[in-house]
Amino acid sequence: EENSTPISFSAIHASLDTKGDDGGTEDGSATGTATPEISSFHVWASRTFGQTGSPTTDNTIFSGEEVTYNSGVWQYSPVRYWQTGSYQFVAVSQMTDIKTSYTGSITNSSLNLSFTSPGWNLSMTPADLIVASATASGQTQRNNNTEVAFSFNHQLAMVKFTAKNTDPRDATISIKSIAIKGNKTTSSGMTYSASSTPSAAWTLSDATPIRQLQLQLDEGKTAITLAKDSKTTLTSELMVFPQGCTLEIEILYDVAANGGTASNNSKSATKTVSWDAGKIYEYNINVTSDHISFVEEPTVVDWGTTISADADITI
């Protein structure tokens, strides 16, 4: 019987670390409902039905409707009902308090998404983006309660930077500002192919990647101070679009050694990088009185894995 069984959802997002809500974990209930780390997502869906040789596809089953978690159930309105045919679902959510607009349309099992992030400056929390897809066959049985299950994955990468004072003298280095440039920070859209091996393709639209100031000390504030052989975190984790680029880091710092002071040393270093979605990259920078340099290759972990602050840095 058509139009008798509502289409319902479950969404599992356990173990995905994020700059957004802490949330919960899967509760193990028989229905597969999860206590989510997300409170809402938007869903797009198409339905293919009819004759095998000339099937009909309806791309408007869901068109970005919001689904919210309330009292243990994912809810949306108006309710859609299963019909015969094959369904393709794509769900999208953001994991930060700062929400930015995104719109989409699903065509031929691909979601074309327009996504705008506030950026990745430390003064603003960038918008994380997580996406999931699912396939299902249309149900016509009145009592079939099969849920469409979404398991979300990060579509952005994350980077962070640490520094170590490697000056051969007994010198103190005081870092005053940090700037990063070379990577593209604006997206005009993303295409998410909902298949057995889902994948995302970003269109990055910066004509010329800009210099981004990640730290600048206000008048009277204390600089980041590094004694000889000590190290520190230069930036928190910064969300970036997946891409390959030549990354440049520029550091302004003072050096105190042998009773003298060298002020406003402005040094830069470059490195060819490649960032994949769902990965965290930690870059280590050696700083001396007359130059800075990247240390070999970055530490790379899956998003959700914690990088120890006490991990040794190879010189």
Side-chain angles (χ1 to χ4, degrees), residues 165-310:
N165 177 352
T166 59
D167 198 277
R169 302 168 296 171
D170 186 14
T172 299
I173 292 174
S174 299
I175 296 173
K176 301 163 68 174
S177 73
I178 302 160
I180 300 167
K181 61 182 177 179
N183 65 300
K184 295 189 176 183
T185 61
T186 304
S187 168
S188 60
M190 182 194 81
T191 301
Y192 186 83
S193 298
S195 62
S196 57
T197 54
S199 61
W202 288 97
T203 300
L204 303 179
S205 55
D206 305 60
T208 303
I210 61 173
R211 177 180 182 272
Q212 298 172 89
L213 196 63
Q214 296 304 316
L215 169 68
Q216 184 173 31
L217 296 172
D218 295 331
E219 188 70 27
K221 288 192 175 181
T222 304
I224 298 174
T225 301
L226 283 170
K228 180 177 174 58
D229 295 329
S230 66
K231 63 181 178 179
T232 189
T233 298
L234 291 180
T235 67
S236 61
E237 293 88 349
L238 307 169
M239 279 180 279
V240 295
F241 292 111
Q243 62 184 282
C245 66
T246 299
L247 187 70
E248 180 178 353
I249 185 166
E250 178 184 279
I251 301 178
L252 180 68
Y253 59 98
D254 298 338
V255 180
N258 300 328
T261 301
S263 300
N264 294 328
N265 289 326
S266 180
K267 307 297 180 182
S268 63
T270 60
K271 187 172 185 61
T272 300
V273 302
S274 180
W275 298 324
D276 293 327
K279 301 289 185 181
I280 301 176
Y281 300 82
E282 180 175 318
Y283 294 92
N284 300 310
I285 311 294
N286 284 344
V287 184
T288 73
S289 58
D290 58 6
H291 74 279
I292 67 173
S293 60
F294 282 92
V295 181
E296 298 180 356
E297 295 305 313
T299 300
V300 184
V301 297
D302 290 331
W303 196 326
T305 303
T306 300
I307 300 176
S308 172
D310 298 323

Side-chain angles (χ1 to χ4, degrees), residues 35-55:
T35 302
E37 292 184 5
I38 53 174
S39 58
S40 68
F41 57 84
H42 291 255
V43 64
W44 287 260
S46 62
R47 168 184 169 236
T48 302
F49 59 97
Q51 298 179 359
T52 302
S54 55

